[in-house]
Amino acid sequence: MNLAGRIGRRLLQPVLLGLLCLIGFAPGSHAAEDLRVLVVLSDSKTPYQNFVNTFKQNLPANIRVGIAERAEDYSSSRQPVDLIVTAGVAAAEWVAGRTATPMLATMIPSYKYAELLAKRPSSAKTTAIYLDQSWARQVDLLRAAFPERSKIGVLYSPTTRLDINELRKRLATHEAALIAKQTTSPGSLFDDLEDILSRSEVLLAVPDSDIYNSNNIRNILLTSYRHDIPLVGFSQAYVNAGALYALFSTPEQLAVQASNITISFSQMRSLPDAQFPVLYSIAVNQEVARTLGSAIKSADLLRQQIDKLQRKAQ
Amino acid sequence: MKPNRQVAVCSLLSLVMQSANAADYASDLDYYQDFPVVLSASRLRQPLSEAPNAMTVIDRKMIIASGFRSIPDLFKLVPGMYVSYYKGSQAFVSYHGSTDQNARRMQVMIDGRSVYMPPVSAIDWATFPITIDDIEHIEVIRGPAAASYGANSTQGVISITTRDAGEMDGRSVSVTHGSKGINDVSARFGKRGETLDYRMTLAYSADNGYDNLTTPPNNIPVTQFQANTLLNNSNDSNQARLFNFRADYHPNGVDRFDVQFGFNHDMQGVGFNDRNTGNNTNPFHDLFVNSGFLQLEWLRQLENASELSLCYFHIRHDKHESLPYYLSGRFFPGPISQSTQIGRDEIEIKHTLPLSASNRLVYGAAYQTSQISGKGDAQALSLNYSSSSDTHEYRVFAHDEWRITPKLLLNTGGMFEQDSTGHQNVSPRVALNLHVTPQHALRIGASVAYRTPSIAEEKYPIDRLPRILPGALFVPSQNVTEPGLVPEKLVSREIGYLGEFPDWATTLDLRLFHDQVSNGIYLSSANMIVNGVSSTYQGIEATLKHSFNENSNLTVNFAHELASSNGPVLAAAGQKYLKPASPWISDILSASIPRNSASVLYSQHLTHDVAFSAAYYYQDAMQPFDRGAIDYQPIQRRTDVRVAKAFRQDGGVKGEVALVLQNLFDKGYTEYIASNLFNRRGYVTLTLKW
């Protein structure tokens, strides 16, 4: 079993999966009519394939699913459908302006969705399941995982579309401080990283491809390790590479949520507001935890703590 | 990782990279890109509370705070370590008190490469092709670790890890100038790339060694004869010119190639002036050393989070000297020329394999060949000799780390070695680490280790110039002179405690040990190298670390140690080299250990980018093992301070000016040899980075 597998065993299983399916099949006030759904994938990469496979598995027989394997395969002249579910940014951007058919955009960062809405016909029903996690959930993880580390470092580039101030406020209400720094130039990345690491106790990776890409990740991890600063990532790959924790939703988890919205749509013919992922996973790199001397918390324990904090906040 | 998955990963990576450059970058791919394993098993340090041995880690922050410019001095920060110099350029680092000037019982590795050099099997610190600034951190294992590091790690292991190839992206220049001829210059360059990182260092380092002793040591009256040999008699300068290069090529997510090479040309002032007429076999002269290495390592991440490494290195270490010679009052302008050439090649394969989530196995094998040749030429004495020998050895090893329960960790391991001189050693080790609570851990360990005789011990150059060895070089005999010599054996037992007190921001590391040496090697009255010394060492060591706040830290080390041996029995039987130097000493080994020693390092970051650090070193009085009463080493107290100011100029140039004062209160002390006087000295370093 490889590292991913070992860590994966400790991942939170999508325990709500069955529950959500049950809700979907619960006897509604209206008998569900046949619904025609078209899933448009950005392309044929594995994450999108995993999404659509799980999505189909979780739908009842009266919902018929067609698949466009690549965004460009979709055209409005196709046979009409009741709902389009897009997977990935490319698919959503392709479809958005081309049809007024109700649309559920998935696997899309929240800021991208905001841009996308401008392209949609004003009357078109549109919603989304974001790919990113809410700051609230991320802050809860940081506080649950590192109660003794309150200085959270974030390095971002000028192109980042993140609401840094919102994160700052959230952390402040949880007795933690944000140490944020914008990189000054592409060449200064590691000087800026050294600066952030010298002032922080945890480094929170953000989806910013100018910084966190396959070229840089190696030296980012090595540098943070030299400083004894744990990195918190946003995908399983980060933990495989050497991040201490990661909080993320898998395509399968997003698909369960998307199928649930689809089932609801088949009954109510309405779409909910855009939403953050309901299901999520936490990955822990035990080897790194031991080396950094961190008190290791299991993914299960962290999950319990986060859920408790979120219930309290509601 | 399975091959098909590797292909998938690589293709996905390339897709992501292409996309990253495209204007319409699909940001959802950030969440699904795959990364190589960066912090792999070989990169991760074992936490102190889980290590099978007591371990001290000296990291970059400590290196900087110490103010030291010489690598061996760093080990003053390790409890129980004895650091001294035979000459100002010839350091030796030992554990369990002083040895002769060639500490042979300590294994030293640089990035996994042993630098324990024949013929005397000592460490030639001044000839390392690295500077103190090339070091990322040092792990010092206190106690034998032969199960992991092989024979000759009988007292401990110093494992130096140099900076990563990708640690630096840019240039830096550093200039140091100070008293006692201290002049260092270094230039560094590093580049990080997509698949290739590299860095290089070019450096020059010079100093004039110890101060001149001008009055008799310890205020002991000395004869004119002694005064002639001791006073104003320091010729121990050192000049090193070195270069090193390290590259890390990581073409994909699974393979990593680490390439290193380096070279050092070192010139050491050696010998002793002798104003007495008579024999002077070692007058002032220069010793030249050229040393170099090439190291190639391939690391591959396999499926199941296992890792395979294949490492090859070659080292070369050539020394030569030319010196005039006095014999029976006659001057031979000579010169006598002597040289030794040493080459070593080693290849090691190692597999790190998690057997389960709670059990990890490391096993492997290595093969090594060494060549040594030496020659001496003294025409005036009609003396001409040369020798050469090849040795080879192989070893197989395995080490298992089993987390029996979350609280209980069992480390077991062993190594089997065989060399071409017929020595076979099995070095087992077992250690149990118990986390009584997450903050408090206990360790109980036992191990057996051996030290194989050095080439010079087995091929002692007795057949050449009886009782007289000219110069500083030790050229071994062509023939085995001591066929019956067997390895020294050490049996070690220890109990360790590691406690964390988060409320007080304090950690405490304690070790109680009992080491028993048998078959200890010594020089007999008949000038033969023989086995026969038995000795016992026991003591306690402690390290306390406290953080006053995030900007000020304190490290305190303390060791108390006692030793006993059969030295008095052997001395009574007529073994003159084991006779104590002074009548008040009964046991030569026991007296060679500082009963108490301590070090304190405090560092603080002040405002305006100013950093301050201070260190205090204490060592009880002792009688160096193979020196006379005149070289008695009194209590050593030394205080060092460092003040540094960092600055950043427009245009991206960063820099730092640092002042280091060593032995601030000028409590001049002597060490190992009475003429090795250390007074206050200071130096200023200017570093620019851009």
Side-chain angles (χ1 to χ4, degrees):
Chain A
M1 188 182 292
N2 61 19
L3 183 64
R6 283 199 304 132
I7 293 164
R9 283 209 314 181
R10 298 192 183 89
L11 285 184
L12 293 172
Q13 297 302 318
V15 286
L16 290 179
L17 191 147
L19 192 63
L20 286 168
C21 292
L22 279 175
I23 294 167
F25 287 114
S29 49
H30 308 282
E33 295 169 16
D34 276 9
L35 187 79
R36 293 162 301 171
V37 178
L38 176 66
V39 181
V40 182
L41 308 183
S42 289
D43 55 44
S44 57
K45 289 195 193 84
T46 312
Y48 307 129
Q49 295 292 342
N50 291 347
F51 173 86
V52 75
N53 290 340
T54 308
F55 179 72
K56 282 197 302 185
Q57 283 166 18
N58 283 287
L59 290 177
N62 66 329
I63 297 179
R64 284 175 286 147
V65 179
I67 300 168
E69 291 278 352
R70 292 180 307 144
E72 297 78 21
D73 291 350
Y74 172 79
S75 77
S76 53
S77 59
R78 286 175 72 123
Q79 202 176 354
V81 293
D82 303 309
L83 176 68
I84 296 176
V85 176
T86 61
V89 171
E93 285 182 335
W94 180 266
V95 171
R98 286 183 164 81
T99 177
T101 306
M103 172 179 168
L104 165 60
T106 70
M107 300 176 75
I108 183 169
S110 49
Y111 79 88
K112 274 281 177 195
Y113 178 67
E115 290 173 4
L116 190 82
L117 278 180
K119 292 186 186 172
R120 287 287 283 165
S122 55
S123 60
K125 290 178 184 168
T126 314
T127 192
I129 302 168
Y130 302 139
L131 186 50
D132 41 332
Q133 306 292 325
S134 66
W135 284 135
R137 187 179 279 163
Q138 295 194 60
V139 168
D140 287 345
L141 168 72
L142 291 167
R143 298 313 288 143
F146 308 105
E148 76 292 358
R149 292 176 188 241
S150 59
K151 290 184 198 161
I152 311 300
V154 170
L155 189 64
Y156 60 99
S157 73
T159 57
T160 300
R161 307 288 297 274
L162 296 169
D163 191 349
I164 295 292
N165 279 332
E166 175 62 21
L167 175 60
R168 190 186 305 280
K169 277 187 230 159
R170 284 252 164 218
L171 284 168
T173 59
H174 287 75
E175 293 166 348
L178 177 69
I179 317 288
K181 185 171 180 118
Q182 183 177 310
T183 51
T184 39
S185 69
S188 73
L189 169 62
F190 286 93
D191 278 349
D192 295 328
L193 181 65
E194 292 276 350
D195 178 50
I196 274 280
L197 291 170
S198 66
R199 295 186 287 134
S200 311
E201 293 168 312
V202 177
L203 182 65
L204 177 66
V206 290
D208 181 336
S209 57
D210 285 349
I211 295 172
Y212 295 97
N213 57 47
S214 52
N215 294 348
N216 293 340
I217 191 67
R218 180 187 149 72
N219 280 312
I220 289 174
L221 276 164
L222 291 173
T223 307
S224 60
Y225 181 60
R226 270 197 291 276
H227 283 260
D228 280 339
I229 304 287
L231 180 76
V232 174
F234 52 89
S235 72
Q236 178 71 53
Y238 276 84
V239 165
N240 295 353
L244 180 52
Y245 292 109
L247 173 64
F248 56 92
S249 297
T250 62
E252 291 84 350
Q253 289 171 324
L254 296 170
V256 170
Q257 193 173 345
S259 59
N260 191 41
I261 289 174
T262 304
I263 291 164
S264 168
F265 182 80
S266 75
Q267 296 164 343
M268 320 292 286
R269 297 289 163 169
S270 67
L271 289 172
D273 289 339
Q275 52 194 249
F276 283 103
V278 173
L279 302 175
Y280 63 93
S281 299
I282 295 170
V284 184
N285 190 322
Q286 302 281 347
E287 305 284 337
V288 171
R290 270 198 285 277
T291 304
L292 290 174
S294 302
I296 311 163
K297 289 191 174 171
S298 72
D300 287 330
L301 179 62
L302 285 172
R303 166 100 183 194
Q304 284 169 20
Q305 291 183 334
I306 292 171
D307 289 348
K308 202 170 152 190
L309 284 167
Q310 299 214 313
R311 274 198 302 274
K312 212 187 276 180
Q314 279 164 7
Chain B
M1 195 176 277
K2 288 172 187 161
N4 59 351
R5 192 166 161 219
Q6 284 168 32
V7 173
V9 167
C10 293
S11 55
L12 187 57
L13 279 176
S14 62
L15 274 168
V16 170
M17 282 184 249
Q18 285 160 16
S19 306
N21 297 327
D24 59 345
Y25 175 73
S27 50
D28 53 322
L29 293 179
D30 283 347
Y31 293 81
Y32 296 113
Q33 59 183 329
D34 216 334
F35 294 132
V37 177
V38 179
L39 300 183
S40 58
S42 60
R43 282 225 185 252
L44 293 172
R45 293 186 296 270
Q46 195 172 28
L48 294 185
S49 63
E50 298 188 354
N53 296 85
M55 194 159 74
T56 298
V57 178
I58 300 170
D59 60 17
R60 272 228 64 75
K61 283 180 188 165
M62 287 174 80
I63 293 171
I64 293 168
S66 73
F68 289 134
R69 51 182 281 285
S70 164
I71 296 170
D73 281 342
L74 290 170
F75 305 105
K76 291 176 188 282
L77 292 165
V78 179
M81 209 59 101
Y82 177 79
V83 178
S84 195
Y85 293 77
Y86 177 63
K87 301 289 288 183
S89 56
Q90 297 178 342
F92 63 103
V93 178
S94 69
Y95 191 55
H96 295 336
S98 87
T99 58
D100 60 22
Q101 76 260 33
N102 300 306
R104 296 180 199 89
R105 297 178 179 90
M106 196 92 199
Q107 180 63 271
V108 178
M109 328 274 285
I110 303 176
D111 295 324
R113 180 178 76 249
S114 170
V115 289
Y116 183 85
M117 299 300 297
V120 282
S121 296
I123 312 298
D124 204 349
W125 293 92
T127 67
F128 284 3
I130 60 168
T131 71
I132 201 165
D133 286 333
D134 288 324
I135 297 174
E136 178 59 40
H137 67 266
I138 304 175
E139 290 177 351
V140 182
I141 294 174
R142 291 175 277 128
S148 300
Y149 294 89
N152 310 325
S153 58
T154 35
Q155 285 184 339
V157 180
I158 291 171
S159 180
I160 297 172
T161 301
T162 65
R163 298 195 196 208
D164 267 325
E167 197 270 345
M168 167 178 197
D169 196 4
R171 299 155 196 83
S172 83
V173 172
S174 180
V175 180
T176 299
H177 181 72
S179 55
K180 286 301 294 172
I182 292 171
N183 277 302
D184 303 337
V185 185
S186 67
R188 301 193 143 68
F189 177 71
K191 185 88 185 143
R192 287 194 200 101
E194 198 173 303
T195 55
L196 178 71
D197 306 326
Y198 63 91
R199 64 157 177 81
M200 61 185 83
T201 299
L202 188 64
Y204 168 81
S205 173
D207 62 59
N208 291 339
Y210 282 104
D211 292 276
N212 260 344
L213 185 73
T214 52
T215 54
N218 310 319
N219 297 317
I220 301 171
V222 290
T223 62
Q224 187 58 46
F225 185 89
Q226 285 174 318
N228 282 345
T229 60
L230 273 177
L231 305 182
N232 299 307
N233 198 4
S234 171
N235 177 55
D236 55 355
S237 64
N238 188 57
Q239 280 182 50
R241 293 167 175 83
L242 67 90
F243 171 75
N244 65 58
F245 175 89
R246 183 170 196 180
D248 191 325
Y249 177 55
H250 36 93
N252 52 45
V254 292
D255 294 305
R256 191 157 77 81
F257 300 90
D258 186 19
V259 177
Q260 296 191 55
F261 55 86
F263 179 77
N264 182 333
H265 172 74
D266 193 50
M267 188 173 82
Q268 303 172 2
V270 295
F272 294 91
N273 189 20
D274 197 339
R275 299 175 199 91
N276 300 308
T277 54
N279 293 343
N280 183 2
T281 61
N282 195 0
F284 283 169
H285 65 283
D286 291 330
L287 179 67
F288 296 90
V289 189
N290 289 317
S291 65
F293 79 100
L294 167 70
Q295 182 166 337
L296 309 169
E297 188 172 15
W298 172 39
L299 286 132
R300 167 161 267 224
Q301 298 295 322
L302 305 171
E303 60 180 325
N304 307 336
S306 80
E307 187 179 59
L308 188 70
S309 81
L310 183 65
C311 182
Y312 163 79
F313 70 78
H314 171 77
I315 52 179
R316 178 91 192 174
H317 194 260
D318 295 349
K319 290 180 161 186
H320 71 271
E321 62 181 349
S322 292
L323 61 151
Y325 190 62
Y326 299 83
L327 194 63
S328 304
R330 230 182 111 193
F331 179 65
F332 297 90
I336 282 184
S337 301
Q338 298 194 107
S339 63
T340 58
Q341 290 91 36
I342 298 154
R344 185 189 297 159
D345 293 87
E346 181 175 302
I347 187 157
E348 182 191 74
I349 186 163
K350 189 163 72 177
H351 187 198
T352 306
L353 174 69
L355 296 174
S356 72
S358 58
N359 196 323
R360 183 165 62 185
L361 178 71
V362 181
Y363 66 96
Y367 178 75
Q368 183 191 93
T369 62
S370 296
Q371 309 85 41
I372 170 164
S373 61
K375 62 179 180 183
D377 183 17
Q379 286 183 355
L381 297 173
S382 304
L383 199 67
N384 195 316
Y385 51 88
S386 66
S387 68
S388 68
S389 65
D390 291 351
T391 58
H392 53 91
E393 64 173 64
Y394 72 86
R395 59 178 190 266
V396 290
F397 56 89
H399 178 91
D400 183 72
E401 182 190 277
W402 180 24
R403 209 167 294 280
I404 303 170
T405 72
K407 288 185 169 181
L408 203 58
L409 179 76
L410 180 68
N411 276 291
T412 48
M415 181 173 285
F416 171 78
E417 296 163 285
Q418 181 165 4
D419 66 27
S420 53
T421 48
H423 300 304
Q424 282 187 358
N425 300 319
V426 178
S427 311
R429 173 181 61 197
V430 60
L432 194 66
N433 298 57
L434 172 67
H435 277 89
V436 184
T437 70
Q439 276 80 41
H440 302 278
L442 289 172
R443 179 188 64 248
I444 300 167
S447 64
V448 176
Y450 295 89
R451 179 179 78 81
T452 47
S454 68
I455 290 177
E457 284 168 332
E458 289 193 314
K459 299 182 173 182
Y460 188 65
I462 194 169
D463 53 339
R464 246 162 243 151
L465 286 171
R467 303 177 60 193
I468 298 168
L469 295 165
L473 266 183
F474 210 63
V475 180
S477 166
Q478 178 66 39
N479 307 308
V480 173
T481 57
E482 331 289 329
L485 210 55
V486 298
E488 292 181 345
K489 181 180 180 185
L490 177 90
V491 179
S492 173
R493 298 171 189 87
E494 63 156 14
I495 298 174
Y497 164 76
L498 212 100
E500 291 176 25
F501 304 91
D503 292 344
W504 301 332
T506 299
T507 61
L508 177 65
D509 183 347
L510 282 175
R511 174 181 187 239
L512 281 165
F513 63 89
H514 181 277
D515 290 358
Q516 214 159 5
V517 176
S518 53
N519 289 330
I521 294 171
Y522 70 104
L523 180 61
S524 76
S525 290
N527 282 333
M528 295 293 284
I529 306 283
V530 293
N531 294 103
V533 173
S534 300
S535 50
T536 304
Y537 305 84
Q538 50 200 335
I540 181 167
E541 292 164 355
T543 298
L544 182 136
K545 286 180 184 260
H546 176 68
S547 192
F548 293 98
N549 56 53
E550 60 191 18
N551 290 322
S552 64
N553 295 291
L554 177 74
T555 302
V556 180
N557 296 304
F558 170 75
H560 173 77
E561 188 174 0
L562 297 170
S564 62
S565 76
N566 64 346
V569 177
L570 292 170
Q575 293 299 342
K576 62 181 179 182
Y577 295 113
L578 293 175
K579 278 195 176 143
S582 302
W584 54 269
I585 296 171
S586 59
D587 183 343
I588 182 172
L589 256 115
S590 163
S592 71
I593 288 180
R595 184 167 290 196
N596 297 295
S597 58
S599 64
V600 179
L601 178 66
Y602 173 76
S603 62
Q604 180 162 22
H605 276 274
L606 306 162
T607 51
H608 305 296
D609 291 327
V610 174
F612 168 81
S613 53
Y616 176 76
Y617 305 96
Y618 173 89
Q619 191 171 273
D620 262 353
M622 53 179 279
Q623 173 61 50
F625 176 72
D626 65 336
R627 306 302 305 176
I630 196 78
D631 295 319
Y632 174 76
Q633 186 173 318
I635 291 176
Q636 206 177 83
R637 294 184 184 91
R638 170 172 156 180
T639 305
D640 292 2
V641 291
R642 177 181 188 271
V643 184
K645 160 92 177 141
F647 58 87
R648 179 187 275 271
Q649 288 198 323
D650 295 340
V653 177
K654 289 197 296 183
E656 187 189 66
V657 183
L659 168 70
V660 175
L661 288 173
Q662 294 183 324
N663 201 358
L664 178 68
F665 301 112
D666 208 17
K667 290 185 179 295
Y669 62 81
T670 63
E671 54 188 357
Y672 191 63
I673 297 178
S675 57
N676 287 347
L677 175 69
F678 196 93
N679 288 331
R680 179 169 55 215
R681 60 184 59 191
Y683 43 93
V684 176
T685 301
L686 170 68
T687 306
L688 295 177
K689 294 179 186 174
W690 71 99

